[in-house]
Amino acid sequence: MRSPGAANNAAGIPGPAGPRGPKLHAARRRELGQSFQDGGEHYDRVRPGYPRDSLDWLVPPGARSAADLGAGTGKFTALLIQRGLAVTAVDPSTDMLEQLRKSYPLVNALEGTAEATGLTDSAFDVVSVAQAWHWCEPMAASTEISRILRPHGVLGLIWNQLDTSIPWVHRLSRIMHAGDVHKPGFRPVIGPEFGGLESHLTQWEDALTPEDIMELTKSRSYYLRANDATRAKVMHNLEWYLHDHLGHAPGETIGLPYMTQTWRAFKIQGPAPR
């Protein structure tokens, strides 16, 4: 991962009438989420990390402990560790956690979900959910996260997404079926246990080869759930686009533009508003 190219502070928050992101029914959410149960080594190798700028904006001074929910193979966990926080990582995938434990053997890594972490009450200053909130049931997860956060603790929701404001990247995202690209005005749904929701945008580039981009595509839920014919079509379209249309040679380094959208909200003390 390369360092952030630019950061924009405190992006504006649209009003309640704005788009609120993808709406997945519970059964569909579980079905797509199952696609990540295996393949932890491949996921860890091809998925991008996160810019340090995202963490610096999210984590308040004096924070000592963090729970990383939906931690996967530890992409965001790594930043929390580098910050010097005591980190507990939670994920429902045994395969993903095995990879995380190999990379970060000192992290307390546990199987669980954002809705049922199994963690101690009021134990953490920060709870992060990176690239995973869309797999959660937001109301139940908010209640559980509020339970494990200390007073005035921070909930952080983080998404890497391709910078589709750039035309060639927009077309690439369509070919890859990168479904986690948010529409303008996106605002994550959180429970009434939290207030002060605000966002921060970091723009950066990941240095990849055409072959890396093809492997990245293979880690997407659309590809993992597809049949062999659909997978072959996706790979054929990618090869044409990257080599024939864009003119990239095999092994050539491409700067793939990303935007990391970081959201934070603070635990409300006392009864949750109705």
Side-chain angles (χ1 to χ4, degrees):
M1 183 188 75
R2 296 171 63 184
S3 7
N8 301 319
N9 288 322
I13 306 295
R20 300 177 71 86
K23 295 180 180 178
L24 294 176
H25 294 296
R28 181 60 172 159
R29 185 185 291 115
R30 287 193 297 270
E31 177 188 354
L32 290 172
Q34 284 297 315
S35 62
F36 296 103
Q37 287 297 313
D38 301 312
E41 186 278 331
H42 181 263
Y43 185 101
D44 187 63
R45 178 164 49 85
V46 304
R47 282 293 182 109
Y50 295 88
R52 181 62 182 263
D53 175 74
S54 170
L55 180 84
D56 289 342
W57 181 80
L58 174 64
V59 177
R64 294 172 297 168
S65 61
D68 192 23
L69 309 185
T73 62
K75 292 291 186 177
F76 197 78
T77 309
L79 288 182
L80 295 168
I81 296 168
Q82 292 168 18
R83 183 65 176 259
L85 300 175
V87 183
T88 297
V90 177
D91 196 272
S93 168
T94 302
D95 190 68
M96 293 284 188
L97 287 178
E98 285 178 359
Q99 187 63 40
L100 187 150
R101 291 183 181 113
K102 289 177 184 177
S103 301
Y104 311 106
L106 298 182
V107 169
N108 183 25
L110 304 170
E111 287 192 34
T113 67
E115 298 84 359
T117 65
L119 301 176
T120 305
D121 290 359
S122 304
F124 301 97
D125 300 307
V126 177
V127 171
S128 57
V129 186
Q131 218 72 19
W133 190 246
H134 48 288
W135 303 122
C136 304
E137 201 295 302
M139 295 298 106
S142 294
T143 299
E144 174 69 354
I145 291 168
S146 177
R147 181 185 66 79
I148 66 175
L149 274 173
R150 295 190 176 110
H152 309 292
V154 176
L155 165 63
L157 308 178
I158 308 99
W159 280 276
N160 274 336
Q161 62 182 58
L162 297 173
D163 188 351
T164 56
S165 66
I166 301 169
W168 77 265
V169 180
H170 181 265
R171 189 169 183 183
L172 176 66
S173 74
R174 299 289 298 272
I175 296 171
M176 292 174 67
H177 292 269
D180 55 354
V181 176
H182 296 148
K183 295 180 180 179
F186 168 76
R187 177 185 175 94
V189 176
I190 59 174
E193 297 86 356
F194 293 92
L197 182 67
E198 57 183 339
S199 70
H200 177 80
L201 189 67
T202 308
Q203 296 173 291
W204 59 285
E205 289 187 354
D206 201 16
L208 301 174
T209 65
E211 294 78 14
D212 292 333
I213 293 174
M214 292 178 191
E215 290 301 312
L216 176 63
T217 301
K218 293 177 183 178
S219 75
R220 298 278 179 173
S221 60
Y222 176 88
Y223 184 91
L224 293 170
R225 299 292 298 179
N227 58 35
D228 289 342
T230 299
R231 290 181 177 186
K233 182 179 179 180
V234 170
M235 287 296 108
H236 174 77
N237 289 342
L238 271 177
E239 288 178 3
W240 170 83
Y241 185 61
L242 293 168
H243 296 306
D244 298 337
H245 186 72
L246 295 178
H248 293 298
E252 178 185 345
T253 299
I254 304 168
L256 184 58
Y258 274 92
M259 296 191 304
T260 299
Q261 195 173 37
T262 309
W263 294 81
R264 71 183 176 197
F266 298 88
K267 179 178 175 178
I268 296 173
Q269 301 310 302
R274 294 184 181 275

